[in-house]
Amino acid sequence: MDLPMIRSDDGTKTICIIGAGPAGLAALKVVLESPQHKAGQWKATAFEARDRIGGVWLPAPPTDDPPLTPLYESLTTNLPHPIMAFTSYSFPPATPLFPHANLVHKYLDDYADHFLLRTHIQLNTTVTSVTRSPSNSNWHVTLSTGFTLPFDLVVVCNGHYRIPRYPNIPGIASWLTSGRATHSAWYRHPHNLGDTVLVVGAGPSGQDISAEMRTAARSVIHSVSGAPSEDTGNLKRRGRVTHFGSSDDGQVTFEDGSTESGINHCILATGYEVSFPFLAPDIICPEIPPPVPPLPRDVYNSTYGVFPLAKHIFPLQSAFPPSSLAFLGLLVRVAPFPIMEAQARAVLHAFADPESLEPMQEAVDIMSRYEELRDGVGDSPLAIAKAWHRFEPLQQFEYRDALYDFFKPAEGDLGPVWDDKESKGVESGRYTKVPQWEKEAYLNKDVLRKAWLRLEETGEAEKWVKGVGEGGLHEWIEMMQKLRTWAEEQEIDVKEADKARL
């Protein structure tokens, strides 16, 4: 495609979107549907470093350092797709309730085609630098193609599953140097890693990989901080690793003082760092933010998140307009797609009406959350930084409701997924609340997934979703309610299912 049009004298505003994964696609779709874009007042371009759209959902071999994506071959979603999907676009009828990664990537491809996004995406183009112009009137965005272009708004959508986070455990360096330990970013399948494999980490990847390794390794040791020692079949659950011994004998020590030896390989499913290599330190400080109060004058990237951000999106500082730079998709432990879509609408609302952001109220909200987290995790700035973008289950829905209230969508403005009043929240002609079914499905996601795995094992899964969705979203809601009832009848409990998985 052609390069985006440089600012003209007609007052056209230009928008740069960094990344064409889920967040970037949502942002671009919202721009293109805006009345300002349709009137020729806004022009947007998304820059994607890879040769196809999809971000983390686009597979790639683990040949780069770090790999372009941590997508492993067996990955399926850990959320039912009706609550994972963008509110403006459903997964196709009969899609498995917890689809494989390749179906999610196809969904994103279809989303881009459905909303005619591709002509506004420049592939194979990395954003290498974003700086503020000396006049403080716009952003200068430098590309890997050699061009530097001015933009009025920059929307950061580069994701946070690229830079591996390594734990600071004594002795781990020699394991990494020798190749006896690798980060899960390099993991693709369970084969050829040895008879005894240690998996460190209790997140979704750690759970998936430890379960899958049991099919190929003689013994799997799963390290989960604070977990009691427990042996079931060929899996040993142990607590936090406190020391890696010599990589020659493959010995490690756990928090209870116990040891395991003869470990052939260790997979570190220990998460990823939030990284913005294109933003200079004068835009965002690469440090843990200082204690609050007062709110810092600068914006910080702790590698766990960005602080302080109004609405977890807008940099709250005075060096440039907060509405001119936005970060999408930083929240964790949430259903990300609908939140990204709501965040994108909030960004465009603030861009069109900067006065809608109230710095004093946003500062109060940030201070309130800081105090809440301090009560929960303690005074440590690092502990608070780790928890800053991490939401408890129902907080994400309160957050989305607050975003909807901020940009005030009209009824029907969120697209065809909200196709009947039973499936959406309607009040006085306005969409005002995340629907109750969505909250219930999220809270029951683990039981639903265990039940779905049982159906796949027995060959019944396809029958359960056959034709579901052809008549609208309510069919998926009814299917999930039916599956939840079936799980109760089958006495599928999350705790018991976890034990069975061991």
Side-chain angles (χ1 to χ4, degrees):
M1 62 167 286
D2 295 332
L3 285 170
M5 183 179 295
I6 297 178
R7 179 194 303 273
S8 61
D9 295 331
D10 62 2
T12 300
K13 300 291 187 179
T14 53
I15 301 171
C16 168
I17 299 170
I18 302 176
L25 295 175
L28 183 56
K29 179 256 187 187
V30 170
V31 175
L32 299 185
E33 289 185 340
S34 68
Q36 292 89 341
H37 173 79
K38 293 176 181 178
Q41 298 169 359
W42 289 353
K43 295 184 182 297
T45 304
F47 297 102
E48 170 54 50
R50 300 177 66 182
D51 60 359
R52 292 179 63 189
I53 65 168
V56 70
W57 296 98
L58 175 61
T63 51
D64 290 80
D65 188 8
L68 294 172
T69 173
L71 207 64
Y72 41 94
E73 293 176 3
S74 64
L75 180 68
T76 61
T77 69
N78 60 0
L79 294 174
H81 66 73
I83 64 172
M84 178 180 175
F86 294 117
T87 62
S88 57
Y89 192 71
S90 301
F91 277 77
T95 297
L97 189 60
F98 293 84
H100 187 273
N102 68 330
L103 293 180
V104 180
H105 184 254
K106 184 180 186 305
Y107 167 81
L108 294 172
D109 260 338
D110 293 344
Y111 179 88
D113 290 334
H114 181 81
F115 294 109
L116 306 177
L117 306 183
R118 294 187 188 275
T119 57
H120 302 272
I121 301 171
Q122 185 164 314
L123 300 172
N124 298 307
T125 306
T126 301
V127 172
T128 59
S129 174
V130 176
T131 59
R132 195 70 183 164
S133 67
S135 64
N136 200 37
S137 60
N138 56 24
W139 297 96
H140 287 177
V141 176
T142 301
L143 309 172
S144 58
T145 56
F147 290 92
T148 297
L149 303 172
F151 288 92
D152 297 284
L153 169 64
V154 173
V155 188
V156 179
C157 304
N158 65 321
H160 48 84
Y161 294 104
R162 178 74 196 278
I163 307 300
R165 184 181 301 282
Y166 291 97
N168 185 21
I169 303 175
I172 195 173
S174 65
W175 283 56
L176 290 167
T177 301
S178 67
R180 199 167 197 134
T182 54
H183 193 275
S184 59
W186 277 265
Y187 178 83
R188 292 297 181 272
H189 53 74
H191 308 295
N192 305 316
L193 293 176
D195 289 334
T196 302
V197 175
L198 168 66
V199 180
V200 178
S205 294
Q207 295 286 350
D208 283 353
I209 293 171
S210 62
E212 188 173 50
M213 282 306 312
R214 294 184 63 190
T215 66
R218 179 177 55 82
S219 177
V220 177
I221 305 163
H222 188 194
S223 170
V224 177
S225 183
S229 294
E230 183 177 11
D231 295 2
T232 306
N234 67 338
L235 187 138
K236 300 178 180 180
R237 178 164 290 181
R238 297 291 184 265
R240 176 175 52 88
V241 176
T242 57
H243 185 264
F244 283 85
S246 168
S247 61
D248 294 333
D249 59 17
Q251 186 177 81
V252 300
T253 303
F254 300 95
E255 57 186 323
D256 62 358
S258 65
T259 63
E260 293 285 344
S261 59
I263 295 171
N264 301 110
H265 195 78
C266 172
I267 301 170
L268 299 167
T270 48
Y272 297 84
E273 296 184 3
V274 173
S275 176
F276 312 104
F278 42 83
L279 292 178
D282 64 333
I283 302 297
I284 185 167
C285 303
E287 301 172 11
I288 296 171
V292 171
L295 283 184
R297 297 172 60 88
D298 300 313
V299 179
Y300 291 81
N301 173 21
S302 65
T303 76
Y304 293 94
V306 182
F307 183 89
L309 294 181
K311 304 185 188 304
H312 294 269
I313 301 172
F314 307 98
L316 197 61
Q317 41 64 64
S318 58
F320 50 84
S323 59
S324 70
L325 178 65
F327 296 85
L328 265 58
L330 293 177
L331 298 177
V332 295
R333 295 187 182 179
V334 297
F337 289 13
I339 279 183
M340 291 170 181
E341 189 176 51
Q343 287 181 327
R345 290 180 178 273
V347 169
L348 271 296
H349 178 72
F351 183 55
D353 180 14
E355 298 301 317
S356 63
L357 275 179
E358 302 178 16
M360 290 299 295
Q361 183 58 52
E362 297 295 342
V364 169
D365 292 345
I366 290 172
M367 293 290 290
S368 296
R369 176 164 175 77
Y370 199 96
E371 288 301 318
E372 291 174 4
L373 290 177
R374 195 203 306 269
D375 292 340
V377 303
D379 292 335
S380 164
L382 175 59
I384 292 174
K386 288 181 178 180
W388 189 255
H389 295 305
R390 187 175 67 227
F391 275 17
E392 296 302 318
L394 292 178
Q395 284 182 316
Q396 63 176 305
F397 304 115
E398 297 168 359
Y399 173 76
R400 275 173 58 193
D401 284 344
L403 290 181
Y404 294 149
D405 187 58
F406 175 65
F407 61 79
K408 296 179 176 62
E411 183 179 354
D413 188 38
L414 295 180
V417 168
W418 310 103
D419 56 5
D420 56 66
K421 289 193 175 184
E422 293 182 1
S423 303
K424 65 181 178 180
V426 180
E427 182 178 305
S428 301
R430 289 278 184 183
Y431 180 96
T432 58
K433 298 291 181 183
V434 175
Q436 183 63 28
W437 71 264
E438 209 173 332
K439 301 174 186 178
E440 292 175 357
Y442 188 87
L443 292 175
N444 290 317
K445 65 184 188 306
D446 293 332
V447 170
L448 290 173
R449 192 177 190 216
K450 303 300 182 186
W452 182 255
L453 290 173
R454 176 84 62 87
L455 292 176
E456 288 187 324
E457 291 169 359
T458 59
E460 300 177 77
E462 186 175 349
K463 180 179 68 175
W464 272 70
V465 297
K466 184 177 181 180
V468 176
E470 292 177 355
L473 177 62
H474 66 90
E475 295 184 353
W476 284 113
I477 299 172
E478 292 166 2
M479 181 268 177
M480 289 188 292
Q481 292 170 341
K482 178 183 174 183
L483 183 59
R484 175 63 175 142
T485 300
W486 182 82
E488 292 174 354
E489 293 171 350
Q490 299 296 312
E491 298 182 345
I492 297 176
D493 176 75
V494 173
K495 186 179 295 184
E496 293 302 317
D498 282 341
K499 288 183 178 179
R501 193 177 188 184
L502 289 174

